[in-house]
Amino acid sequence: MSQQPKVIIETSKGSITIALNQEKAPISTENFLGYVRNGFYDQTIFHRVIPNFMVQGGGFTADMKQKGTSRQIKNEADNGLKNVRGSIAMARTQVVDSATSQFFINLVDNSFLDHQGKTPNAYGYAVFAQVTDGMEVVDAIAKVPTGNSGHHQDVPKDAVLILKATIVE
């Protein structure tokens, strides 16, 4: 298998092609590919959209129901990859090793999300992939009107669907 598996994420706004960095983020890459292989991302949404920051998806259905996930994975934020425009990182809670299925695409360079140290507040968010084609689609997603849905903020008023995620063979 090549060091950079590719995945096409077909959205209701167009397609995004990403290259996964298996060499520097093997755990996050295998985790993401597992979700792609079992169709987990199909019919999920980008549920958090913040212009000039990031778009986040991979965990909720269009009716804002959270999907059940596999186990939490080790945070690989200390792998040297940076949260720059077009990079993709694992979303997580305040707990360092809490990432499951959710990911975000950086709209700008977000160096404050990079690994700064071993403490929970400094650990950062693990970058594992990069958009190689379709950044204009990501930018279009970033422009959709958002509001609140229950206790969730920055939710697109009209769902931005991930129709299908496919590994490019």
Side-chain angles (χ1 to χ4, degrees):
M1 186 182 250
S2 77
Q3 285 303 300
Q4 291 216 313
K6 284 189 164 32
V7 170
I8 295 175
I9 301 169
E10 296 171 51
T11 79
S12 52
K13 296 274 184 202
S15 291
I16 304 162
T17 303
I18 65 172
L20 287 75
N21 194 322
Q22 199 159 36
E23 184 183 348
K24 291 197 172 181
I27 297 166
S28 301
T29 293
E30 198 45 51
N31 177 67
F32 185 83
L33 290 173
Y35 284 111
V36 172
R37 280 186 203 104
N38 73 22
F40 181 89
Y41 293 123
D42 301 359
Q43 299 303 309
T44 60
I45 59 168
F46 283 97
H47 66 275
R48 195 164 163 236
V49 171
I50 305 174
N52 301 310
F53 180 38
M54 58 94 217
V55 300
Q56 181 174 333
F60 289 86
T61 60
D63 56 2
M64 287 303 288
K65 298 272 186 285
Q66 192 159 7
K67 293 183 74 171
T69 60
S70 301
R71 63 180 175 75
Q72 298 176 343
I73 60 170
K74 175 163 180 21
N75 188 325
E76 297 176 295
D78 59 353
N79 63 14
L81 299 175
K82 303 291 184 199
N83 282 279
V84 295
R85 176 171 163 77
S87 65
I88 302 165
M90 293 305 301
R92 62 175 177 83
T93 67
Q94 296 301 313
V95 178
V96 171
D97 296 329
S98 62
T100 56
S101 65
Q102 293 184 38
F103 60 91
F104 62 91
I105 306 172
N106 287 289
L107 297 169
V108 296
D109 293 357
N110 289 313
S111 60
F112 69 97
L113 298 176
D114 293 341
H115 179 74
Q116 319 275 338
K118 295 291 182 192
T119 63
N121 284 345
Y123 209 86
Y125 292 79
V127 172
F128 68 96
Q130 181 74 35
V131 173
T132 57
D133 192 36
M135 197 61 198
E136 70 284 353
V137 174
V138 179
D139 289 333
I141 293 168
K143 290 184 173 89
V144 302
T146 60
N148 294 342
S149 176
H151 63 279
H152 297 278
Q153 299 174 318
D154 308 303
V155 178
K157 290 185 190 289
D158 294 316
V160 179
L161 278 173
I162 294 174
L163 304 170
K164 190 167 185 48
T166 312
I167 299 170
V168 179
E169 299 299 340

